[in-house]
Amino acid sequence: MRQNIVAGNWKMNMTLQEGVELATEVNNIVASKGANCGVVLGVPATHITEVVKAVDTAKVSVAAQNCADKVSGAYTGEISASMVKSTGAGHVILGHSERREYYGETNAILKEKTDLTLANGLTPIFCIGEVLEEREANKQNEVVKTQIEEALFHLSAEDFGKIVLAYEPVWAIGTGKVATPEQAQEIHAYIRSVVADKYGAEVADNCSILYGGSCKPGNAKELFANPDVDGGLIGGASLKAEDFHGIISAF
Ligand code: 13P
């Protein structure tokens, strides 16, 4: 069954103490008010263990924002998927456009990261999306198709079924310039059709496809109302419990 999900991506924000406080607030709101969707907090690696302790992970899953493309060994500064798993995290955000742009992550690297994430029983939240020039040249479909094909289409149908996709148009990230509900629906439906062509209608129908990019309490409802938009990956608005809850309660 396709799941609606609202996932926060804190990016490189919050000290450990601030992060634990925010996670505790989110957890308390979800515990008292409930949530009609899965809730995930994508926190800095240094915070995962403490955030896992601060929340009820049955209700609020904790995600790493990245993991290594290697199993273990002499890779100073890297954090492996098995290390992430050992903290009690449930998800890993992979292929965020900031990692692609600033840290040179290619589809080939992301293929390795995806495999290691799945091999360790973690759920990848796999980000795809075009930059402004590609959108202006009407190349967005081509771009997301290549990203999915090169990083994910080696997977079996069973493993692909464990992936959460997040469509994040780069021009909408942190810019306040949100995709219109029509733009989001159009490309989410296209992404689902790409998955259907490869894995069949059932796998495609069960795949959660989140929208990310300036999603806020004020626009979440109209974005999530679309049949192919199954929630959001939230940056700025995930840094305040009240805003994040405003988005969760759009479901
Ligand atoms: P904003 O919600 O701040 O635009 O960030 C979106 C994002 O990049 C989530 O991964």
Side-chain angles (χ1 to χ4, degrees), residues 37-250:
C37 60
V39 177
V40 181
L41 297 178
V43 309
T46 43
H47 302 16
I48 300 175
T49 308
E50 290 301 317
V51 170
V52 164
K53 284 188 210 157
V55 302
D56 172 0
T57 52
K59 295 200 175 103
V60 178
S61 177
V62 182
Q65 298 173 12
N66 179 32
C67 73
D69 61 342
K70 304 286 193 300
V71 175
S72 65
Y75 301 102
T76 302
E78 288 294 296
I79 293 164
S80 71
S82 68
M83 292 173 190
V84 173
K85 178 69 179 178
S86 71
T87 64
H91 292 71
V92 183
I93 299 170
L94 288 178
H96 192 281
S97 61
E98 289 148 16
R99 296 218 52 90
R100 292 177 188 261
E101 183 181 352
Y102 307 137
Y103 302 99
E105 289 196 359
T106 61
N107 293 328
I109 291 172
L110 291 168
K111 181 174 179 232
E112 302 301 322
K113 294 190 177 194
T114 301
D115 287 347
L116 289 166
T117 298
L118 288 171
N120 283 282
L122 294 158
T123 301
I125 300 177
F126 193 89
C127 304
I128 54 177
E130 80 286 355
V131 300
L132 183 62
E133 301 79 69
E134 291 162 340
R135 167 66 64 166
E136 283 173 350
N138 202 28
K139 287 196 169 143
Q140 63 274 11
N141 287 5
E142 210 179 294
V143 170
V144 296
K145 184 167 191 252
T146 303
Q147 289 171 332
I148 298 172
E149 277 176 352
E150 292 186 0
L152 301 178
F153 274 6
H154 65 290
L155 296 172
S156 66
E158 191 190 340
D159 277 345
F160 190 89
K162 297 170 188 161
I163 303 274
V164 173
L165 292 176
Y167 168 67
E168 298 206 307
V170 181
W171 47 269
I173 295 176
T175 59
K177 199 175 164 194
V178 65
T180 65
E182 294 75 24
Q183 283 174 322
Q185 170 55 27
E186 190 181 31
I187 193 154
H188 280 230
Y190 172 73
I191 292 163
R192 201 177 301 286
S193 78
V194 169
V195 175
D197 285 347
K198 170 77 178 171
Y199 293 108
E202 195 182 335
V203 171
D205 197 46
N206 286 336
C207 181
S208 298
I209 308 177
L210 315 185
Y211 168 81
S214 297
C215 185
K216 310 280 178 208
N219 59 27
K221 221 182 176 90
E222 56 176 5
L223 285 162
F224 299 171
N226 291 289
D228 289 298
V229 180
D230 309 312
L233 182 55
I234 318 300
S238 72
L239 298 174
K240 285 203 180 119
E242 201 181 309
D243 288 348
F244 192 54
H245 180 253
I247 297 174
I248 293 169
S249 56

